[in-house]
Amino acid sequence: MKKQPLLYSLVLILILWQISTWIVHKNFLPSPALTGQYMVIHFSLLIKHMSVSLYRILVAIVITVILGSTVGILTARSEVLDRVVTPLLYTLYPVPKIAFLPLLMLLLGLGDASKITLVALILFFQIVISVRDSVKAIHPSYFIAIKSLGAKSSHIYRHVIVPAILPALFTSLRISVGTSISVLFFAENFATQYGIGFFIMDSWLKLDYAAMFAGIVTISFMGSALFGLLDWTESKLCRWVPKG
Amino acid sequence: MKSDLVMVVKDLSVHYPNRSALHKISLDIRANDAYTVLGPSGCGKTTLLYAIADLLSPKATVEGSRIATRPLKKSLVLQDYGLFPWKSVLQNVLLPIELESLKVENARERAMFMLKHLKLEAHLEDFPSTLSGGQKQRVALARSWVVEPDLLLMDEPFSSLDALTREQLQEDVLSMFNQSKMSMITVTHSIEEAVLLGRHILILSDEGTLSHVLLNPTFNMAFARENEAYYEQCIEIRKLLKEDQYEKTAPPL
């Protein structure tokens, strides 16, 4: 991310926040300074909660990238599988996955597994559809070119399909990470005492608004860090994509 | 010039669900020999090349045979270069060697030799999107030559390039042909290119049949473009192509 525009955005947000504090003038909207003070004093606590949330999302991303990409690639490469899987995808995709949380907790318990699975479900459909479409969009000349070099099937996956889908995969991840954080925030309100979602709601219930806003700022940093990580990973894995 | 056969194509016909592409093509491909294929658009030139390269679509129905007399290493150069945008120039050129699992040290040396020969050594880490058309085609040629193919197949390799770049690459191809033992088959729309790159010039008709096979005495002639015999050969081929077209369009008597 470019540093100067980011700095300007942060400064603008802080200014608007401070102006809102003056206008609203209620204790449930603490000032940036008060929130910042809380964050400094309770830095390690916030990091602990953020780490748990980050762990849940990253595990969900890794599992979904592997599973979702595999299903997407196989669906695109096989007409039979496409006819079976695609209607299922289109039927299940619009269903709000949050509704599955109680079922997941019954099946997988009250620990991280149910929360990670919920986030993974959100990401899965995005990635499968995005990967499937990008495989189908690979120009046939690439397959002809690699076969003309004597490639076997495994070579085609390694040298053509996987690299070709990477830009679309990263785009899909960027789109779905925002929703995933929101869903995780919701899921961390059930049967857990760790995670930034839990921290925010717990602070609200205790009427500790400085802590609540500290949690909100932390979740925002976490999201930014995730986007930054995705951008960095894409810059390493997709060096051929023109920047800007 | 060795005269042993590397491939025999006999009564080759290729049909697709909605059309017929080739009809009873027979051809003997000899070692270290050069063939060019000419004909109107849609007559099956590329289909013939893909049939020889074993790259036909599964939807194609093939009759007849194409039998290699020994295991053949084939390389194909495509009209749109066939370079992988996600691989650098060096990675693209090394790819066929990687696929054959040859030893890395030898592979790199051969790739570097080809890239230096084709004046690409300054672009090793560049990606194809940053190269000009001529540079891309040189990379494609380097990739096809690096495995020292027995049979080089080229599908209108220079059609999208400017005249001077095209002429330079034609010289490069002839130079490599003369330094190697490979056979080459070039599909082209250009009569001049066909005469330059083919000792045997095959003319396909609109119906996908082999209407003429000419022996080109000007092939590999030094300074061909400055030689009258070269242009006479071009004129002869032009006449044959026009006759084929006239026979097709002339009203019945």
Side-chain angles (χ1 to χ4, degrees), chain A residues 157-171:
Chain A
Y157 284 95
R158 186 179 152 201
H159 294 288
V160 177
I161 293 175
V162 169
I165 65 167
L166 283 178
L169 183 62
F170 279 102
T171 301

Side-chain angles (χ1 to χ4, degrees), chain A residues 47-86:
Chain A
I47 289 292
K48 188 165 84 172
H49 284 289
M50 190 187 81
S51 305
V52 171
S53 297
L54 207 50
Y55 161 77
R56 288 165 177 159
I57 285 200
L58 285 174
V59 170
I61 286 175
V62 168
I63 291 171
T64 325
V65 163
I66 295 170
L67 272 178
S69 301
T70 306
V71 172
I73 290 171
L74 292 176
T75 305
R77 297 285 287 165
S78 161
E79 275 185 41
V80 170
L81 209 57
D82 195 11
R83 277 201 290 269
V84 169
V85 170
T86 297

Side-chain angles (χ1 to χ4, degrees), chain A residues 148-149, chain B residues 73-78 83 92-93 96 114 118 137-154 173 176 182:
Chain A
S148 76
L149 300 174
Chain B
K73 221 183 289 177
K74 298 174 210 159
S75 261
L76 179 64
V77 179
L78 298 168
L83 300 180
N92 264 288
V93 174
M114 294 306 319
L118 292 166
Q137 200 56 289
R138 282 201 195 93
V139 177
L141 287 169
R143 187 176 71 184
S144 68
W145 289 332
V146 78
V147 289
E148 297 175 314
D150 300 305
L151 182 55
L152 176 65
L153 305 160
M154 296 191 285
V173 166
M176 286 310 301
M182 70 181 182

Side-chain angles (χ1 to χ4, degrees), chain A residues 72-78 82 128-144 160-169, chain B residues 80 84-86:
Chain A
I73 290 171
L74 292 176
T75 305
R77 297 285 287 165
S78 161
D82 195 11
V128 170
I129 290 172
S130 165
V131 166
R132 184 203 64 175
D133 289 354
S134 59
V135 172
K136 284 184 176 183
I138 297 174
H139 199 280
S141 64
Y142 293 131
F143 294 104
I144 292 172
V160 177
I161 293 175
V162 169
I165 65 167
L166 283 178
L169 183 62
Chain B
D80 57 0
F84 301 106
W86 42 82

Side-chain angles (χ1 to χ4, degrees), chain B residues 74-141:
Chain B
K74 298 174 210 159
S75 261
L76 179 64
V77 179
L78 298 168
Q79 185 180 358
D80 57 0
Y81 322 119
L83 300 180
F84 301 106
W86 42 82
K87 290 187 183 289
S88 66
V89 163
L90 185 59
Q91 286 170 334
N92 264 288
V93 174
L94 285 173
L95 183 58
I97 294 172
E98 192 182 332
L99 296 178
E100 284 192 16
S101 303
L102 293 175
K103 281 186 187 171
V104 175
E105 304 83 39
N106 291 341
R108 217 183 157 88
E109 274 170 24
R110 276 153 60 181
M112 292 308 299
F113 171 77
M114 294 306 319
L115 289 165
K116 203 172 172 184
H117 179 78
L118 292 166
K119 300 182 184 61
L120 289 166
E121 66 268 34
H123 300 281
L124 299 183
E125 300 307 319
D126 292 345
F127 290 102
S129 62
T130 62
L131 304 178
S132 67
Q135 288 170 326
K136 284 180 197 172
Q137 200 56 289
R138 282 201 195 93
V139 177
L141 287 169

Side-chain angles (χ1 to χ4, degrees), chain A residues 43 75 105 116 129 150 165 190:
Chain A
F43 182 74
T75 305
M105 287 199 288
I116 290 170
I129 290 172
I165 65 167
F190 299 93

